[in-house]
Amino acid sequence: MAASSSPIQPLLCNPISTSTTKPQISNHHPTLNFTFTPARRKWFTRATVKSAAKTVDTESRLVEESVNTIRFLAVDAVEKANSGHPGLPMGCAPLGHILFDEVMKYNPKNPYWFNRDRFVLSAGHGCMLHYALLHLAGYDSVQEEDLKSFRQWGSKTPGHPENFVTPGIEVTTGPLGQGIANAVGLALAEKHLASRYNKPGHAIVDHYTYVILGDGCQMEGVSNEACSLAAHWGLGKLIAFYDDNHISIDGDTDIAFTENVDKRFEGLGWHVIWVKNGNSGYDEIREAIEEARSVADRPSLIKVTTTIGFGSPNKANSYSAHGSALGAKEVEATRKNLGWAHEAFHVPDDVKEHWSRHISEGKVVETEWNEKFAAYENKYKEDATELKALISGELPVGWEKALPTYTPDIPGDATRNLSQQCLNALAKVLPGLLGGSADLASSNMTLLKMFGDLQKDTPEERNIRFGVREHGMGAICNGIAHHTKGLIPYCATFFVFTDYMRPAIRLAALSESRVIYVMTHDSIGLGEDGPTHQPVEHISSFRAMPNILMLRPADGNETAGAYRVAILNTKCPSVLALSRQKLPNLNGTAIEKVEKGGYVLSDNSSNNKPDVILIGTGSELEIAVKAGDELREDGKAVRVVSFVSWELFDEQSDEYKESVLPSGVTARVSIEAGSTFGWEKLVGKKGRAIGIDRFGASAPAGRIYKEFGLTVEAVTEAAKAVCQG
């Protein structure tokens, strides 16, 4: 790329001219099209008043010192922990420096300021780069002691970035490819909100999403799924930096990765730029960012060729610098090679002074935005009120009243259809609800009928078409959820295809993302499609996953109740397993009962001493109800319990649990069209769990249920047996 022709070089850049012409001081940055704040201008003026030549020398020295500070904070932290990945921070330090020191807008003292630029380190193993930048910029979350506690128990600097641990970290990354997909979600959320709330002369929602991804991210399929959608949606404020260092854990990427990434992204529809010298080509990096920011109709990929472990005499450009500490001797050799005569974790005073301005500048930037918002609110009060609620996460008063209720006289329906009724009712009162399906909207029943499709030219709409990209869909929704508290993304596919998106679901649970997974065709009840499409082990597997609600409603009220708890639980995702087949609206169900997880649906016993307890979930609760009726005709005292969610039941008091499942009653039978794994904790050793512990079959649903023994007769026989035992 051509060097800038400006007589004044950008702040902290390599010299490209030795002109002694006295520069003209301006508040306007010549390369990145932003204005210097008073603090930045003061520093710049002091540095340039004597001569441009001296300024160039000063800037060159300071940028190198700042970049090396970043490198050695990472090196020292990894060395002290004797664990971590020093190579990426050493290679990407110049890029990180330019982004956080010159380009991005943020307020270190308020990491959650709404209109900040977002930064995602998709190559999360290199997180010491991010921690070092947060430390230099003045974030309270990363002090020197936190750097020294890298990867230690209770540290704010864990081994991979965790948004719920470290303010300043936007999303949890580490599993490669997830971060770039999250960034697509962040950028989509920005475009969506900007299109809904910005007005002429009032660009209230206006920020960029920057992301660094590596070779490993490029190899993972989820990144391609998400990046395909990013181009389709025209996310011009998404700028991705590809750390092109040609090294992975096993060695040079040539052993397994020889595709032309540039051409692939061009084919996806991205604007592609190549910075050939990412080690010291500061002007190249700046000009690439400027070019990317000028492209508004599509995302930009800036391939930055770097040297992993830059500065290490014996380990640079090798896998040895990737995933382990350099070792004391190599650290010393690197210090000598880069002229770094400082003790571990040292930040030179001039670097510290220079970076300290971000605290005051960040406060100014946020204050200016608040003033702009006040003017916006004065003119567009209703929109401003709604946007403020989305930013804070405050739900509208009385929103729950929009949920439909059902009585037994209302004809039965598949819970996937009842789900659509709930979604459409909620969309009218929850402005942050948006989502879609992986090419199955007409089958998952997830379309919001009062809205159109969110597309490149209609980003204000709320139906998202993900195409056949389950994994990308899940990861994008995580990004949407973390952009703004009040955004509530949902996504859908057949329940069995959660296998395609499980890594994203797990990260949603880990990172406390409120994402609602609308998973239909939840059992062998889908029938003729056969075992490839019939989930068996899936319910149990999600019950085993921490911090996620696994909900299997049995009728309309329970479906509405499942949505209620999914929306109220702001720090965990929810899986709704929904039927394809029609189910009756049962007597005794209620929206508010679902929050208990399990509750007594019917009972003819006294003193909390039934002869037998029948437990059902989802489509099998109807079977338990019918079996209970037959057993009562035979004189049995029978309690039928609906168990919508194990996780919610576990949260209840011991007294409540005893009132539903009294410990003195060991005659228990459960029925669920899925694996019996885990049911012993509820039915006990003397109880009986009826389910499916093999793959399904292709046949009409009724025949399959009969062949697998999921029948009223099977439940009544099991109940009689456990009563005798």
Side-chain angles (χ1 to χ4, degrees):
M1 300 179 65
S4 172
S5 60
S6 172
I8 304 175
Q9 300 310 309
L11 184 61
L12 301 185
C13 68
N14 271 357
I16 62 171
S17 171
T18 58
S19 170
T20 57
T21 303
K22 186 175 181 179
Q24 298 295 313
I25 304 303
S26 169
N27 280 346
H28 188 72
H29 190 291
T31 301
L32 293 178
N33 195 30
F34 65 76
T35 301
F36 285 113
T37 63
R40 179 175 291 170
R41 186 182 189 279
K42 182 178 179 182
W43 183 91
F44 186 80
T45 303
R46 286 201 312 266
T48 58
V49 291
K50 293 186 177 180
S51 71
K54 184 173 181 179
T55 299
V56 166
D57 290 341
T58 301
E59 293 171 359
S60 178
R61 178 190 59 79
L62 187 51
V63 71
E64 292 296 341
E65 195 169 28
S66 178
V67 168
N68 280 333
T69 299
I70 297 166
R71 287 182 175 128
F72 282 100
L73 287 177
V75 167
D76 294 337
V78 172
E79 196 65 27
K80 188 175 188 298
N82 194 29
S83 175
H85 301 74
L88 183 147
M90 296 170 76
C92 286
L95 172 58
H97 167 87
I98 290 173
L99 279 175
F100 273 75
D101 189 52
E102 301 178 19
V103 177
M104 291 173 57
K105 63 179 179 184
Y106 56 89
N107 182 0
K109 297 307 178 184
N110 183 8
Y112 304 110
W113 169 49
F114 171 71
N115 203 42
R116 68 192 180 277
D117 287 334
R118 270 65 169 179
F119 173 77
V120 175
L121 184 63
S122 187
H125 55 273
C127 56
M128 266 311 306
L129 170 71
H130 203 170
Y131 298 148
L133 292 167
L134 294 177
H135 175 64
L136 291 176
Y139 283 75
D140 294 332
S141 55
V142 185
Q143 303 294 322
E144 181 177 333
E145 288 306 310
D146 297 308
L147 297 177
K148 292 179 178 179
S149 301
F150 179 53
R151 289 187 164 222
Q152 304 308 301
W153 179 264
S155 166
K156 291 183 180 178
T157 50
H160 289 84
E162 298 174 8
N163 63 287
F164 54 95
V165 171
T166 316
I169 301 296
E170 300 289 351
V171 294
T172 297
T173 63
L176 296 176
Q178 294 291 328
I180 177 62
N182 293 166
V184 172
L186 290 169
L188 179 64
E190 192 275 345
K191 183 170 183 175
H192 173 70
L193 292 174
S195 66
R196 285 176 62 180
Y197 296 103
N198 286 355
K199 309 294 181 184
H202 296 272
I204 297 302
V205 184
D206 181 18
H207 50 266
Y208 283 82
T209 300
Y210 300 97
V211 56
I212 294 177
L213 66 157
D215 290 302
C217 296
Q218 294 285 18
M219 295 183 212
E220 290 286 359
V222 64
S223 66
N224 198 68
E225 290 183 20
C227 289
S228 175
L229 282 167
H232 174 74
W233 290 325
L235 302 181
K237 288 188 176 178
L238 173 62
I239 300 177
F241 300 89
Y242 166 31
D243 177 26
D244 173 39
N245 63 39
H246 296 285
I247 297 295
S248 62
I249 292 177
D250 280 351
D252 194 292
T253 54
D254 282 348
I255 62 176
F257 188 58
T258 54
E259 68 182 48
N260 189 321
V261 173
D262 305 43
K263 294 297 183 184
R264 173 159 62 88
F265 271 76
E266 287 175 357
L268 291 175
W270 285 55
H271 179 68
V272 178
I273 310 166
W274 182 16
V275 173
K276 297 181 180 180
N277 178 12
N279 298 324
S280 59
Y282 303 105
D283 289 332
E284 287 188 68
I285 295 172
R286 290 186 181 91
E287 291 169 9
I289 295 172
E290 179 185 19
E291 181 180 330
R293 286 164 63 104
S294 72
V295 178
D297 64 339
R298 49 187 164 150
S300 292
L301 178 77
I302 302 176
K303 183 173 78 169
V304 185
T305 299
T306 67
T307 300
I308 192 171
F310 181 88
S312 171
N314 302 301
K315 294 188 176 182
N317 199 35
S318 76
Y319 69 90
S320 299
H322 177 82
S324 60
L326 296 179
K329 290 184 178 180
E330 189 64 16
V331 169
E332 187 61 31
T334 304
R335 274 182 154 78
K336 183 177 180 181
N337 187 42
L338 293 177
W340 193 254
H342 300 292
E343 62 185 10
F345 299 101
H346 179 73
V347 179
D349 289 341
D350 52 353
V351 173
K352 189 179 299 183
E353 179 186 1
H354 174 68
W355 278 84
S356 67
R357 77 189 194 286
H358 288 291
I359 294 174
S360 59
E361 289 184 3
K363 182 178 180 180
V364 169
V365 171
E366 181 176 354
T367 299
E368 290 175 347
W369 183 83
N370 288 337
E371 292 171 354
K372 291 179 181 178
F373 191 89
Y376 172 83
E377 185 174 20
N378 186 55
K379 192 171 183 180
Y380 304 101
K381 187 173 181 59
E382 185 176 338
D383 285 327
T385 299
E386 187 172 274
L387 179 56
K388 283 198 296 186
L390 287 178
I391 293 171
S392 69
E394 181 181 356
L395 295 171
V397 176
W399 68 272
E400 296 163 278
K401 295 178 181 179
L403 287 165
T405 57
Y406 302 85
T407 57
D409 59 297
I410 296 176
D413 206 345
T415 51
R416 62 171 174 162
N417 294 331
L418 301 169
S419 165
Q420 186 173 45
Q421 294 174 20
C422 292
L423 281 172
N424 277 271
L426 290 171
K428 296 176 182 178
V429 296
L430 296 178
L433 184 68
L434 74 166
S437 168
D439 197 49
L440 288 168
S442 60
S443 192
N444 299 142
M445 309 305 291
T446 50
L447 281 178
L448 303 179
K449 297 178 181 179
M450 69 289 294
F451 296 106
D453 289 347
L454 191 161
Q455 298 289 356
K456 180 178 180 178
D457 297 324
T458 54
E460 72 281 1
E461 299 292 354
R462 288 160 62 180
N463 286 304
I464 305 177
R465 303 286 189 170
F466 289 103
V468 188
R469 302 182 184 94
E470 292 89 355
H471 197 178
M473 173 178 69
I476 288 169
C477 283
N478 288 348
I480 295 172
H482 285 294
H483 184 278
T484 303
K485 288 182 180 179
L487 289 180
I488 307 173
Y490 66 89
C491 57
T493 185
F494 289 175
F495 192 26
V496 74
F497 296 142
T498 53
D499 287 345
Y500 280 119
M501 56 189 297
R502 188 170 297 269
I505 297 177
R506 185 178 188 274
L507 276 179
L510 174 62
S511 61
E512 301 176 352
S513 309
R514 179 175 54 179
V515 179
I516 301 175
Y517 303 103
V518 182
M519 298 298 152
T520 69
H521 299 63
D522 70 335
S523 72
I524 57 170
L526 71 86
E528 291 86 349
D529 276 345
T532 58
H533 285 53
Q534 293 168 352
V536 172
E537 74 280 14
H538 296 70
I539 299 174
S540 297
S541 71
F542 284 112
R543 286 174 179 154
M545 187 178 288
N547 196 46
I548 190 169
L549 296 180
M550 178 65 243
L551 299 146
R552 192 161 184 256
D555 68 356
N557 287 329
E558 289 196 348
T559 301
Y563 273 105
R564 176 176 175 270
V565 298
I567 290 165
L568 289 174
N569 281 269
T570 60
K571 291 193 174 182
C572 73
S574 300
V575 179
L576 276 63
L578 305 168
S579 74
R580 179 195 181 195
Q581 70 272 35
K582 289 184 178 181
L583 304 176
N585 288 302
L586 300 170
N587 188 38
T589 63
I591 291 175
E592 62 274 9
K593 291 181 180 179
V594 173
E595 67 183 7
K596 297 293 186 180
Y599 63 92
V600 176
L601 185 68
S602 64
D603 188 7
N604 68 327
S605 70
S606 57
N607 300 319
N608 203 28
K609 293 181 179 179
D611 295 326
V612 63
I613 300 174
L614 307 182
I615 307 171
T617 78
S619 49
E620 290 71 63
L621 183 59
E622 175 193 7
I623 296 175
V625 168
K626 290 180 178 179
D629 291 342
E630 288 192 8
L631 290 167
R632 288 173 188 137
E633 290 178 0
D634 289 342
K636 296 290 185 183
V638 181
R639 174 174 296 177
V640 177
V641 173
S642 174
F643 235 81
V644 189
S645 169
W646 290 18
E647 299 78 29
L648 291 173
F649 187 76
D650 287 343
E651 293 175 359
Q652 307 309 311
S653 66
D654 290 339
E655 291 77 11
Y656 179 78
K657 293 176 185 176
E658 181 68 16
S659 73
V660 177
L661 299 177
S663 55
V665 180
T666 60
R668 304 178 183 182
V669 177
S670 68
I671 180 168
E672 182 174 68
S675 170
T676 61
F677 181 82
W679 272 104
E680 185 177 311
K681 82 169 189 175
L682 293 176
V683 301
K685 293 183 179 180
K686 295 183 179 180
R688 185 80 58 85
I690 298 174
I692 305 170
D693 291 310
R694 51 155 284 187
F695 290 119
S698 178
R703 179 65 182 273
I704 301 175
Y705 265 77
K706 182 178 180 180
E707 294 294 337
F708 280 98
L710 295 169
T711 62
V712 172
E713 293 75 20
V715 174
T716 56
E717 289 177 9
K720 292 175 182 177
V722 296
C723 285
Q724 293 175 354

